[in-house]
Amino acid sequence: MKTIIPIIQALIDGDETDEKIAEKTGIKLNIVRKILYKLYDLKIANYKRSKNPETQWFTYSWKFDEDELINRIKINCEEKIKELKEELSKEENNIFFVCPLGHVRYNFDEASDEDFFCPCGEELEFQDNKEIIESIQARIDQTEKDLKSFTKKVDKKR
């Protein structure tokens, strides 16, 4: 992780060759290339290939794709919010039973199928999931707040 930040910073500063990035950051060239290709796979870095007419060697000029990174952050936040809302709905619309020894957690139908007994033999106990619901709601609220703040900062920058 500590090697990726200087590489991204070098890309943000402008188009750079992998050699210049390695020189600028002090990171080994093969590591720089490996990270650049990972960023390329994530679609947050792009490159142009050009051929030196004298040496016939190819040079790769890399550019950071800030817009793609911003879009990916927004999409990831929106997906996380959607997942959390589905989890919240599941918690709000079900009654849960747990093994007192912590082995399993079943909704009512699953617990009923097991005759309200854990596979370990312990009788299942009703679980008040109020704290779980509150925790999920807090995570939704925080993620929505973070997304709104991020979007506001990005929009100001543009």
Side-chain angles (χ1 to χ4, degrees), residues 5-37:
I5 307 251
I7 293 171
I8 290 175
Q9 188 59 53
L11 289 172
I12 289 171
D13 292 343
D15 287 347
E16 294 278 348
T17 63
D18 46 7
E19 290 92 357
K20 286 182 186 175
I21 293 170
E23 185 180 308
K24 186 176 183 178
T25 62
I27 299 169
K28 290 181 181 179
L29 182 59
N30 64 330
I31 294 171
V32 169
R33 286 180 175 153
K34 189 182 232 182
I35 291 172
L36 288 171
Y37 282 111

Side-chain angles (χ1 to χ4, degrees), residues 43-98:
K43 296 182 175 58
I44 58 175
N46 297 304
Y47 67 87
K48 288 188 295 184
R49 186 175 82 161
S50 56
K51 192 174 192 178
N52 183 324
E54 294 174 19
T55 63
Q56 299 296 309
W57 287 66
F58 287 106
T59 301
Y60 293 84
S61 298
W62 291 85
K63 184 171 173 55
F64 182 69
D65 192 341
E66 187 176 342
D67 291 336
E68 181 62 28
L69 180 61
I70 289 167
N71 287 336
R72 286 180 151 252
I73 290 170
K74 286 180 179 180
I75 288 168
N76 285 348
C77 283
E78 289 164 355
E79 287 173 354
K80 184 66 178 171
I81 291 167
K82 182 182 176 192
E83 289 171 14
L84 287 168
K85 286 184 176 182
E86 288 171 1
E87 188 179 341
L88 178 65
S89 177
K90 180 180 170 186
E91 290 293 329
E92 289 177 331
N93 295 314
N94 284 287
I95 297 171
F96 291 94
F97 293 85
V98 295

